[in-house]
Amino acid sequence: MEFAFTDDQLAFRDAVRDLLAKECAPAVVRAAWENADGRSGAAWVALGEMGVLGALVPEAGGGLGLTELDVVLLAEEAGYAALPEPFVEHVLVGAPLVAPDDAAAADGTITVTAGDPLAPYAAVVDRAVMLAPDAQIVRVASSEFEPETSVDGSRRLGRLVAATDARPLTRAELSTAFWRGTLGYSAQLVGLARRMLEMSVEYVTDRKQFGAPIGSFQAVKHHLADVRIAIEFAGPLTYRAAYSLAIGDPDAMLHCSMAKAQSADAAELAARAALQCHGAMGYSYEYDLHLWMKRAWALARTWGDASWHRDRVARAILDAPIERNAG
C-alpha cells in the first residue's frame, strides 16, 4: 500500500511554498502586527488566483473540488510562513459551507469561531461561520463585533455581539466544520514547529561561544533533537487525520484529536527550545522568532488545546472495550 503523497499533491504544496516565500516574508508578518487589518495583502490575493481559497469547494461551485488530504500540506505551509490570514477558517471550514448558498462569497474572506464567540479577523471579513455559541452562518456586514486583544498581534479577534441574516448549520455541517478546523490547525502547528526548528538550527550554527558554534554543545543538540522527534510524530498523525477525513473513516474524529494534541505539544516544545537556544534575544520584539512563537501559542489553544483532545482520545480508548462487551 502506498502511503506517500502523490506527485500532484507535492507539486501543489511546492507552488504554495514558493508563493508564500515571495509574498509572505517575515517582514510581511511583522507589518501585519501594525497595519490596519492585520492581514498580508498580496499573499491572500495570490492564493485566491491560484485557486487555494476554494480548494475544498466542489467544482460545480467554482472551486477545485479537492479533499482534506490535498489541502493538509498547504495548511502546513501557511503555518510555516506564519501567514497572517484566516487560512484554516476560510479554506477548510468557511468556503465549503458558504459556497452552496452563495458561490461568490467563497471568493471573499470568511472567518470562524469555535468553542467561544471570538473570531479572528472578524472586522474585515465578509462572512462568519459561528460554530459557537450558535451554529450558524452570518453576514458580517449585518453583524456587530467588538475587538478583543490577542497574544498574536496580527490575529485580530472580534467578539460577536449581535447577528442577523443568519443561516443555521445542520448537525452534519457542524461536525465536518469542527474537525476540518482541528485538522487545519494541527497542520499549521506542524509548519510553525518546523520553521522555529530551522530558525534555531541556523542560529546555533552561526552563534559561537568559547570559539565553537553553540550548536556543537551537547545540551543544545539534545533540545533540538527532542523538537525534531516531536515533529516527526506530529506530522504523520496529522496526515493520517487528513486521510481519514477524506475517505470518511468512522475514526476520523479520533485521529484529528490525536493530531491536534501531538502538533500542539510539538509546536510549544519548539517554541520553548527556540527561546532557550536564542537566549533573551529570542523573546525581543525586534527579533522575528517571537512572531512564530506567539502564533504557535495562540493556535495551540484554539479549537481545543492538547489536554482537551488528549482526554477525548483517552475516553475513546477506555470506552471501546465496554462498547464491544455490551454488544
Side-chain angles (χ1 to χ4, degrees), residues 258-316:
M258 289 180 176
K260 184 59 162 65
Q262 184 63 37
S263 63
D265 285 347
E268 294 198 283
L269 179 63
R272 188 162 57 249
L275 183 58
Q276 289 177 305
C277 291
H278 281 81
M281 181 179 71
Y283 200 74
S284 66
Y285 185 85
E286 293 76 13
Y287 195 67
D288 289 339
L289 176 62
H290 89 97
L291 303 172
W292 274 259
M293 289 171 52
K294 291 171 182 174
R295 179 66 60 80
W297 293 340
L299 299 192
R301 290 161 178 78
T302 301
W303 233 275
D305 61 13
S307 177
W308 187 85
H309 283 286
R310 196 170 285 112
D311 285 344
R312 289 194 75 260
V313 174
R315 288 198 302 271

Side-chain angles (χ1 to χ4, degrees), residues 6 216 222 291 312:
T6 67
S216 65
H222 286 175
L291 303 172
R312 289 194 75 260

Side-chain angles (χ1 to χ4, degrees), residues 179-191:
W179 295 112
R180 278 180 170 172
T182 302
L183 170 68
Y185 277 125
S186 300
Q188 286 199 321
L189 285 163
V190 171

